[in-house]
Amino acid sequence: MIVPLSDQARVIPLRPAPARPAAPEPEPAPKEPLWRDLVGEVLRRERQEQERTLKDVADEARISLPYLSEIERGRKEASSEVLAAAAHALGLGLGDLLSLAHGELTRRTAERRRPAAVPHRPYQGLCLAA
């Protein structure tokens, strides 16, 4: 008996290789917060505590509303002049704004472990950036 040959190839599925258990990836070290994020959060918090709008503060500081919004969201690295204008519009000095941002930085990084060779000494002064 003659068996007719098919024009289609015969496909034999291969078994997938057994999955190897994935090695757990080491947890990444926590990132240092960015200064622009901290300053932006302080500006936003102060503005919201005063129940003021972005437009109100931007107009008083003579900063465009979109730019002030980007500063508050940590998307722009503002100059000291712009930061001072925004702080003054909120009734703060530049030193007050930077001191509040420094306090936020200290609070966030206090949880991180410090190497034994570097003793922890809380900073008691004022940090100014230009």
Side-chain angles (χ1 to χ4, degrees):
M1 179 171 149
I2 299 179
V3 178
L5 296 175
S6 171
D7 289 341
Q8 295 180 347
R10 184 172 169 210
V11 177
I12 302 173
L14 298 175
R15 280 190 224 154
R20 292 182 185 170
E25 293 185 22
E27 193 137 332
K31 291 183 179 179
E32 289 276 345
L34 296 177
W35 184 250
R36 68 176 184 242
D37 290 332
L38 297 170
V39 169
E41 289 172 17
V42 169
L43 285 171
R44 175 169 282 171
R45 184 177 62 236
E46 291 294 319
R47 179 179 59 78
Q48 289 175 339
E49 285 177 2
Q50 295 178 20
E51 298 179 354
R52 295 178 66 189
T53 64
L54 264 172
K55 181 173 178 10
D56 175 42
V57 175
D59 288 347
E60 189 172 332
R62 305 185 115 206
I63 303 170
S64 76
L65 188 145
Y67 189 59
L68 181 57
S69 174
E70 288 187 330
I71 292 169
E72 282 191 359
R73 289 181 289 140
R75 304 215 181 218
K76 292 291 182 186
E77 199 76 63
S79 68
S80 58
E81 291 87 358
V82 170
L83 291 178
H88 289 231
L90 293 167
L92 302 170
L94 180 59
D96 299 324
L97 172 64
L98 299 180
S99 180
L100 290 168
H102 175 261
E104 186 66 22
L105 176 64
T106 301
R107 186 186 67 75
R108 287 190 189 183
T109 57
E111 300 164 1
R112 296 181 62 192
R113 298 181 86 189
R114 301 178 67 81
V118 181
H120 176 65
R121 288 173 281 174
Y123 182 70
Q124 300 298 322
L126 176 65
C127 176
L128 296 178

